[in-house]
């Protein structure tokens, strides 16, 4: 893909985790802010494939057709809901 090799995404937590009102079975709501050249299709295809092949990811359930598209995954035993957004050319 075109884009600067120095461009990278950022992860932000929100929801109950950010408010510190969690319990052991809670998931962590996370937003992935990606560079502008990363499309939603790329995120839900290539990124999901990489997650599924990572040793820390024991479960990975992409839900691209949901009202709020999300990847539900278990990372090192912790459930995460990973949402996607792409920032514009000006960056973040």
């Amino acid at each position: 893909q075109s884009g600067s090799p120095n461009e990278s995404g950022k992860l932000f937590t929100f929801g109950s985790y950010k408010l510190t009102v969690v319990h052991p079975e809670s998931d962590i709501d996370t937003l992935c802010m990606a560079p502008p050249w990363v499309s939603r299709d790329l995120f839900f295809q290539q990124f999901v494939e990489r997650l599924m092949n990572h040793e820390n990811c024991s479960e990975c359930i992409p839900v691209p057709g949901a009202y709020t598209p999300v990847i539900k995954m278990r990372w090192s035993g912790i459930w995460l809901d990973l949402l996607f957004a792409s920032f514009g050319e000006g960056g973040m």
Side-chain angles (χ1 to χ4, degrees):
Q1 298 293 336
S2 63
S4 167
N6 295 325
E7 287 182 303
S8 63
K10 295 185 182 208
L11 296 176
F12 299 94
T13 58
F14 63 97
S16 59
Y17 178 81
K18 188 71 171 179
L19 295 171
T20 65
V21 290
V22 296
H23 56 84
E25 291 81 35
S26 294
D27 63 6
I28 299 175
D29 296 312
T30 311
L31 173 66
C32 176
M33 290 292 296
W37 55 270
V38 178
S39 68
R40 181 172 289 188
D41 288 339
L42 188 66
F43 180 76
F44 279 101
Q45 292 169 5
Q46 292 183 15
F47 187 61
V48 166
E49 184 178 328
R50 291 184 75 171
L51 287 171
M52 288 179 170
N53 291 318
H54 197 284
E55 65 184 33
N56 290 338
C57 187
S58 59
E59 296 183 56
C60 186
I61 306 161
V63 190
Y67 182 75
T68 303
V70 64
I71 298 171
K72 295 180 171 290
M73 62 184 204
R74 186 180 293 262
W75 187 269
S76 296
I78 300 169
W79 277 104
L80 300 170
D81 282 352
L82 184 61
L83 287 77
F84 170 80
S86 181
F87 53 85
E89 291 181 20
M92 291 193 329

